[in-house]
Amino acid sequence: MSDTPFGFGLPPEEPDDGDEGKKKDPQSGGGQGPANPFGFGVPGAGGLGGPGGGDNPFAAMFGSLNPNDLGAAFQQLGQMLSYEGGPVNWDMAKQIARQTVSQGTAEGSKDASVGPADRKAVEEAVRLADLWLDDATSLPSGANSAVAWSRAEWVEATLPAWRELVDPVAERVGTAMGEVLPEEMQAMAGPLIGMMRSMGGAMFGTQIGQAVGVLAGEVVGSSDIGLPLGPARRAALLPLNIETFGKDLGIPQEEVRLYLALREAAHQRLFAHVPWLRSHLFGAVDGYARGIKVDTGKLEDVVGQFDPQNPEQLQEALQQGMFQPEDTPEQKAALARLETALALVEGWVDAVVHAAAKPRLSSADALRETLRRRRASGGPAEQTFATLIGLELRPRRLRDASRLWASLTDAAGVDGRDALWAHPDMLPTATDLDDPDGFVHREHLDFSELDKMLGEAADKPDFRKKDEDEGKNEGDGTE
């Protein structure tokens, strides 16, 4: 993750030759420096007070540019300040995400278009994974197609989901920007408020673009973080990242690919056949985000001292942390719901994939532990959530949830375990994750009554209405 949350530094531009990104020559203006808040990569500027700039920040930023570069720089600045859309400048986020991808990873791995051989290998791995999963879960196949993505294609396909996840927090910050001034001053300060909102949208867009671009260099599929980020019923893997992931494991590449295909196919089954799950997860994220409290005192200080020629003040304030969860029972409950929901999804996938892979892959245990450690060490999922919505996930929930699902399988069988996904009210709670064995072996939890419980849940008016609404949505092609 970037060390400069909401920073303006842009990575080098994406070249014209597609996904095989190459850094531009530093002399062409594609680089960036820490003192340049707009990231235009001005050669020789030396930052705001660099040589030739004196006390004039614009001379320092643009003084050595040729006319063509100067025009492009002012055009980019104008686009940023004239943005009048939602709380996040998503056009900028997309542009920066693709530029970050083209720049390559920290290890020097460059994106590349996916060739026919990799596409065929992914399709075959997903097809075989689905066959293996038939023995491990009662949920049928959830993928209508299997695709192999480049990193740039992953960015394009997942940005709509990121928008749904991030906009609630960004909206809170944008609203706060308009509320920090006294009401009698807001009419007079209209242009300033508009500029700050544009700047806020640009800063969110910049950081989101950087975060998503970096994440694209790490993920191996469309569901690494436990959320359905890609299009429905489309299993997707990233061959380049799979190769990087398995490079030093000492495990045959085809086994690594197949194990990761099992995880992707399992996620697809769950989200395809538990129709309420996606809205439940995204609603939990939204509920948590709406409990975010903006530090209006810090924002007031920034507004009071705001200098249009020194826009990095706002960047620095955001970098220091301007929003944080409220310490209220409602916010704690929202966080618990979100953590529990994500843990149950990831734990179910972990348990099901292990059951399918263990008898067939000699490397199943090693790959399972590698992925668990990757998640527990604060991998891409935790870092991205922390950067974008101020949320720190607790990785210990994954192991608890996996153990709970495995115990449920022993106690109730595959059908009984998977039947708990019929309704959110039937799922284990955060308290149950603290004591998985207690939930499974609780005396009053009689699995012989499961059909009755399912029937009662289906007869609830709100449940019937939700089914009808979801049926309409599937009929008209909406999510």
Side-chain angles (χ1 to χ4, degrees):
M1 276 311 122
S2 170
D3 292 331
T4 57
F6 307 102
F8 279 102
L10 303 184
E13 292 184 4
E14 184 176 13
D16 295 331
D17 58 351
D19 295 329
E20 297 186 15
K22 298 179 181 179
K23 291 185 180 178
K24 292 184 69 178
D25 189 319
Q27 298 303 316
S28 68
Q32 70 181 55
N36 181 352
F38 296 101
F40 293 130
V42 184
L48 293 178
D55 294 328
N56 184 342
F58 290 100
M61 290 171 64
F62 308 128
S64 60
L65 287 173
N66 63 47
N68 291 334
D69 288 340
L70 181 61
F74 273 116
Q75 182 180 11
Q76 190 171 7
L77 177 61
Q79 290 173 348
M80 179 168 59
L81 295 179
S82 62
Y83 174 72
E84 296 180 351
V88 177
N89 188 331
W90 285 102
D91 290 337
M92 178 173 287
K94 178 179 177 180
Q95 176 189 6
I96 293 174
R98 287 189 61 96
Q99 289 173 335
T100 303
V101 164
S102 70
Q103 186 180 18
T105 65
E107 293 75 24
S109 173
K110 298 290 187 180
D111 194 22
S113 298
V114 180
D118 281 331
R119 294 190 186 280
K120 182 179 179 181
V122 166
E123 291 172 358
E124 291 178 350
V126 172
R127 189 181 303 114
L128 181 57
D130 255 337
L131 288 175
W132 289 5
L133 287 172
D134 285 340
D135 296 332
T137 174
S138 62
L139 300 181
S141 176
N144 294 333
S145 62
V147 294
W149 283 341
S150 67
R151 294 165 182 168
E153 288 172 323
W154 183 89
V155 168
E156 295 278 353
T158 61
L159 272 179
W162 288 117
R163 183 169 191 160
E164 190 173 348
L165 288 167
V166 174
D167 269 351
V169 171
E171 183 67 42
R172 294 278 306 194
V173 176
T175 301
M177 286 181 174
E179 295 175 347
V180 295
L181 290 177
E183 186 175 348
E184 61 273 11
M185 292 180 61
Q186 290 189 15
M188 299 173 58
L192 175 60
I193 293 175
M195 177 183 290
M196 291 193 66
R197 284 177 175 167
S198 296
M199 296 285 286
M203 283 185 288
F204 267 106
T206 299
Q207 178 58 19
I208 292 163
Q210 290 174 341
V212 171
V214 172
L215 191 59
E218 300 173 340
V219 294
V220 295
S222 71
S223 53
D224 278 27
I225 67 172
L227 292 170
L229 296 179
R233 291 181 174 270
R234 184 178 300 173
L237 295 175
L238 283 71
L240 178 59
N241 291 357
I242 291 175
E243 181 181 352
T244 302
F245 172 79
K247 185 177 180 181
D248 299 321
L249 297 180
I251 299 172
Q253 188 70 21
E254 56 271 19
E255 289 195 22
V256 175
R257 184 192 304 114
L258 183 51
Y259 191 87
L260 296 175
L262 281 166
R263 290 183 53 82
E264 177 71 12
H267 278 104
Q268 293 296 329
R269 289 186 180 223
L270 192 58
F271 288 113
H273 298 292
V274 183
W276 54 265
L277 182 57
R278 186 186 189 278
S279 59
H280 180 75
L281 285 169
F282 279 67
V285 173
D286 181 77
Y288 176 83
R290 294 192 182 283
I292 294 291
K293 177 177 65 176
V294 179
D295 189 342
T296 54
K298 182 180 293 184
L299 194 55
E300 286 174 358
D301 292 340
V302 175
V303 173
Q305 303 172 20
F306 182 72
D307 179 1
Q309 293 188 6
N310 192 21
E312 67 270 20
Q313 287 178 338
L314 195 56
Q315 168 198 350
E316 293 170 356
L318 287 169
Q319 181 177 345
Q320 295 168 6
M322 193 173 289
F323 51 87
Q324 50 200 237
E326 290 185 0
D327 189 19
T328 64
E330 293 78 13
Q331 182 68 349
K332 290 179 179 178
L335 178 59
R337 283 195 302 271
L338 177 55
E339 288 180 332
T340 302
L342 287 173
L344 289 173
V345 168
E346 286 298 275
W348 183 88
V349 168
D350 180 77
V352 167
V353 167
H354 184 68
K358 177 69 172 175
R360 300 176 174 95
L361 290 179
S362 60
S363 58
D365 289 334
L367 286 167
R368 183 190 203 189
E369 189 59 29
T370 297
L371 286 164
R372 283 181 166 186
R373 289 181 179 178
R374 186 179 189 228
R375 189 70 181 268
S377 63
E382 286 74 33
Q383 293 178 23
T384 300
F385 270 102
T387 301
L388 300 185
I389 61 175
L391 174 64
E392 297 278 358
L393 298 180
R394 290 182 290 176
R396 70 178 181 85
R397 303 276 80 182
L398 170 59
R399 291 181 184 269
D400 294 339
S402 181
R403 187 156 60 93
L404 184 146
W405 289 118
S407 297
L408 279 171
T409 307
D410 293 338
V414 168
D415 291 345
R417 176 201 65 199
D418 293 346
L420 291 183
W421 289 107
H423 193 275
D425 290 348
M426 299 173 64
L427 289 178
T429 64
T431 302
D432 296 325
L433 287 184
D434 292 331
D435 183 17
D437 293 332
F439 173 79
V440 173
H441 300 295
R442 196 174 300 151
E443 291 183 4
H444 67 267
L445 189 61
D446 185 358
F447 287 100
S448 65
E449 295 294 315
L450 191 56
D451 288 338
K452 180 180 178 181
M453 294 166 62
L454 287 170
E456 292 174 350
D459 286 338
K460 290 184 178 179
D462 60 335
F463 187 60
R464 290 200 304 272
K465 184 177 185 303
K466 185 178 294 186
D467 270 349
E468 292 170 1
D469 292 342
E470 285 162 351
K472 292 178 182 177
N473 288 344
E474 290 181 2
D476 62 18
T478 59
E479 290 290 335

